[in-house]
Amino acid sequence: MELRDDQPSQHEFGNRTYIVADVEPLDVDGVRTVEVGTAAWLIGFLALLPFYGSLQDDGRTWWLWTCLCGFGLGLLGLEYCRRRRQARRELDAD
């Protein structure tokens, strides 16, 4: 879909009219989102750690390892997003 300047400023659906605001698009690189998600996985892992014995008794130690894997994958995603952000900055500087 190509965005153009001559897009309509309002849309009518049924008996309602919706006005489209003129806003600049956000330049989101995903770093903050991945940081928050990675931190959430780490907090989940640390919160479950004291309950390791009861998790083992119930056969739910996979909860703990899922949080640890989520944290590890989040670190990989964080590095990817940081490199992408740096590459975009270098392209914009040229």
Side-chain angles (χ1 to χ4, degrees):
M1 183 169 112
E2 182 180 332
L3 298 177
R4 299 179 307 273
D5 289 340
D6 59 345
Q7 290 186 359
S9 61
Q10 63 185 22
H11 299 281
E12 294 185 24
F13 295 107
N15 59 357
R16 293 187 176 183
T17 301
Y18 297 93
I19 299 173
V20 179
D22 288 332
V23 295
E24 292 294 319
L26 294 175
D27 188 6
V28 179
D29 53 25
V31 173
R32 173 82 41 98
T33 304
V34 176
E35 286 174 343
V36 170
T38 303
W41 282 114
L42 179 62
I43 290 169
F45 176 78
L46 295 175
L48 288 173
L49 208 54
F51 303 103
Y52 182 78
S54 62
L55 288 172
Q56 191 173 21
D57 292 343
D58 294 337
R60 293 195 168 110
T61 54
W62 65 269
W63 289 6
L64 190 65
W65 307 125
T66 300
C67 290
L68 190 60
C69 287
F71 175 69
L73 290 172
L75 290 177
L76 291 174
L78 185 59
E79 182 62 24
Y80 173 79
C81 287
R82 285 182 178 166
R83 287 183 185 197
R84 184 181 65 185
R85 177 176 59 185
Q86 185 62 33
R88 289 178 66 196
R89 284 183 181 167
E90 290 172 1
L91 284 175
D92 289 343
D94 292 339

